Amino acid sequence: MSAKQKLAEMNARAAALYKADGKTMSAFRGLMAAANREGKLGPAMKEMIALAVAVGRGCEDCIIFHTAEAKSHGASRDEFVEVLAIAIEMSGGPGTVYAAKALAAYDEL
């Protein structure tokens, strides 16, 4: 399955969860908005920080989501690879596996 298909499926699952529990999901979206408010770090960097955490945690859906968001905010492939290197440093072998998945998603998206 392609990264685009995985992203679409993840978004559909999130929409179903929002419909099932709008109160909790609205609160979560508020947290996302607060964390991503305008500040010293640009949106692409914030998404790449989230990506590094997702790689370290091994969350495939999170990796695809934050990869797509980082790209949409103009993150270059070279910047992306540098962030993946830090994620690998901080999470070792498992981070390497998920970093490779993130790079594949970047290239597909």
Side-chain angles (χ1 to χ4, degrees), residues 1-108:
M1 181 181 312
S2 75
K4 287 180 184 179
Q5 290 170 314
K6 288 178 182 179
L7 182 62
E9 286 185 4
M10 183 205 61
N11 285 333
R13 287 190 304 271
L17 182 57
Y18 197 99
K19 185 177 179 182
D21 187 359
K23 189 171 185 175
T24 299
M25 293 304 289
S26 290
F28 181 68
R29 291 203 60 84
L31 174 61
M32 289 174 61
N36 287 290
R37 69 189 178 279
E38 190 172 328
K40 301 290 183 191
L41 297 178
M45 180 54 64
K46 289 181 181 187
E47 290 299 338
M48 289 192 293
I49 291 167
L51 169 71
V53 172
V55 167
R57 300 288 308 256
C59 179
E60 290 190 43
D61 282 354
C62 302
I63 288 168
I64 291 172
F65 178 81
H66 292 293
T67 295
E69 289 296 306
K71 279 193 85 168
S72 76
H73 290 294
S76 74
R77 191 175 192 275
D78 289 340
E79 292 170 323
F80 196 82
V81 169
E82 283 187 42
V83 168
L84 292 178
I86 299 302
I88 291 167
E89 172 200 2
M90 297 304 294
S91 58
T96 302
V97 171
Y98 286 100
K101 289 181 180 199
L103 186 58
Y106 183 96
D107 290 340
E108 283 182 38

